[in-house]
Amino acid sequence: MKLHLGCGTVYLKGYKNIDIEHPGSNLVKDGLVDEKYLEKNIVTKLEDYYVRDKRLKRVILCDEFGDIRVLGKYNKNSIKEIVCFHVLEHLYKDEAKEALKRWIDLLKIGGKLRLMVPDIYGICSMILNHHAWGMGSIYEKNQHCYRLIYGSYNRKSSGLDAHKHCWDEDSLRYIFVKNNMTFIIKESLTENKFNPSLYIEGVKYEPEELIGKK
């Protein structure tokens, strides 16, 4: 089984798409979306995750509603792969650390965790080097960067869009390695210099002290 956590408007083919229930979200099993329409207009593959034409309708569809921090119905060492893109920053630091540990616990040995978060160093570099990219005035450029750091600051939003913590390569590497995961920085799927992101892949391995006891 493969899980796609915090799926939002991206419905990944081959994964169980899970998100919290909120206004505008629907379950696929409720039959609100025709299967052929779903396949043609909504379903996305991992390599096309940020292809905009697949998301024009911005329909929020899930296979399951649930708290992705807990995922209580799943057992340890039972999941082949977890994908979670641009979600971790919406959790407080302690929440995110516990969620990461839980996701790693769920993975089988050899299971993979794909994670993407805003790249705080990349964003700060954009702020310090506005002259290097041509997108409006300095004010507009900075506002764009602040949104990448803090998330949505629209008072009318539900609050789910707000960012609660910034992550960098070293802090994520520490958590991965401590929990018996490899850590590889991959080329970001966004391919967008105006939205710098860290794309990380890790594979769960068996602790050396357990290997020797078999």
Side-chain angles (χ1 to χ4, degrees):
M1 182 179 293
K2 298 192 289 186
L3 305 181
H4 176 210
L5 305 181
C7 59
T9 59
V10 180
Y11 188 87
L12 266 187
K13 187 172 185 176
Y15 294 77
K16 178 162 284 192
N17 296 273
I18 306 174
D19 211 333
I20 189 170
E21 184 175 8
H22 55 281
S25 59
N26 299 286
L27 289 175
V28 171
K29 69 179 182 181
D30 289 341
L32 296 176
V33 179
D34 177 77
E35 189 172 334
K36 290 183 178 178
Y37 179 86
L38 178 71
E39 183 69 30
K40 182 178 179 181
N41 297 283
I42 307 298
V43 170
T44 304
K45 295 180 181 179
L46 185 65
E47 58 267 26
D48 295 329
Y49 197 92
Y50 284 107
V51 176
R52 300 304 301 180
D53 63 348
K54 286 286 188 179
R55 302 174 62 199
L56 290 178
K57 301 296 181 181
R58 298 194 66 79
V59 177
I60 302 175
L61 289 175
C62 306
D63 297 302
E64 177 185 314
F65 290 143
D67 186 341
I68 65 169
R69 299 169 299 178
V70 180
L71 299 170
K73 65 180 287 186
Y74 297 97
N75 297 322
K76 290 184 177 182
N77 306 307
S78 65
I79 304 299
K80 179 180 180 181
E81 183 177 322
I82 292 176
V83 170
C84 188
F85 288 169
H86 286 284
V87 174
L88 204 66
E89 64 271 18
H90 297 283
L91 303 177
Y92 290 110
K93 181 181 179 181
D94 288 344
E95 285 182 305
K97 288 173 66 176
E98 290 304 311
L100 277 171
K101 290 178 183 178
R102 172 60 177 157
W103 302 343
I104 293 170
D105 278 347
L106 291 177
L107 288 174
K108 299 177 178 181
I109 299 299
K112 181 177 290 186
L113 173 59
R114 302 179 190 265
L115 187 71
M116 195 182 297
V117 295
D119 178 3
I120 186 62
Y121 287 167
I123 297 168
C124 290
S125 178
M126 287 171 64
I127 294 173
L128 296 172
N129 298 282
H130 347 78
H131 61 279
W133 49 295
M135 191 186 84
S137 66
I138 291 179
Y139 171 80
E140 291 171 320
K141 293 172 183 175
N142 283 344
Q143 291 303 306
H144 172 74
C145 292
Y146 299 156
R147 185 187 66 76
L148 296 179
I149 295 173
Y150 295 107
S152 173
Y153 37 80
N154 185 339
R155 292 176 63 186
K156 295 181 180 179
S157 72
S158 63
L160 295 174
D161 294 335
H163 292 179
K164 298 174 180 176
H165 188 67
C166 294
W167 292 94
D168 56 56
E169 178 180 342
D170 291 332
S171 56
L172 287 170
R173 184 189 299 275
Y174 176 80
I175 296 173
F176 271 58
V177 172
K178 187 176 180 181
N179 289 279
N180 304 311
M181 295 285 289
T182 63
F183 185 91
I184 301 174
I185 298 289
K186 306 283 285 188
E187 183 177 351
S188 175
L189 293 175
T190 60
E191 295 182 357
N192 187 339
K193 64 180 180 180
F194 299 128
N195 295 281
S197 301
L198 283 173
Y199 178 20
I200 296 148
E201 286 187 4
V203 175
K204 184 176 179 179
Y205 59 88
E206 199 159 24
E208 291 183 7
E209 61 267 26
L210 292 182
I211 297 174
K213 293 180 180 180
K214 288 190 174 181

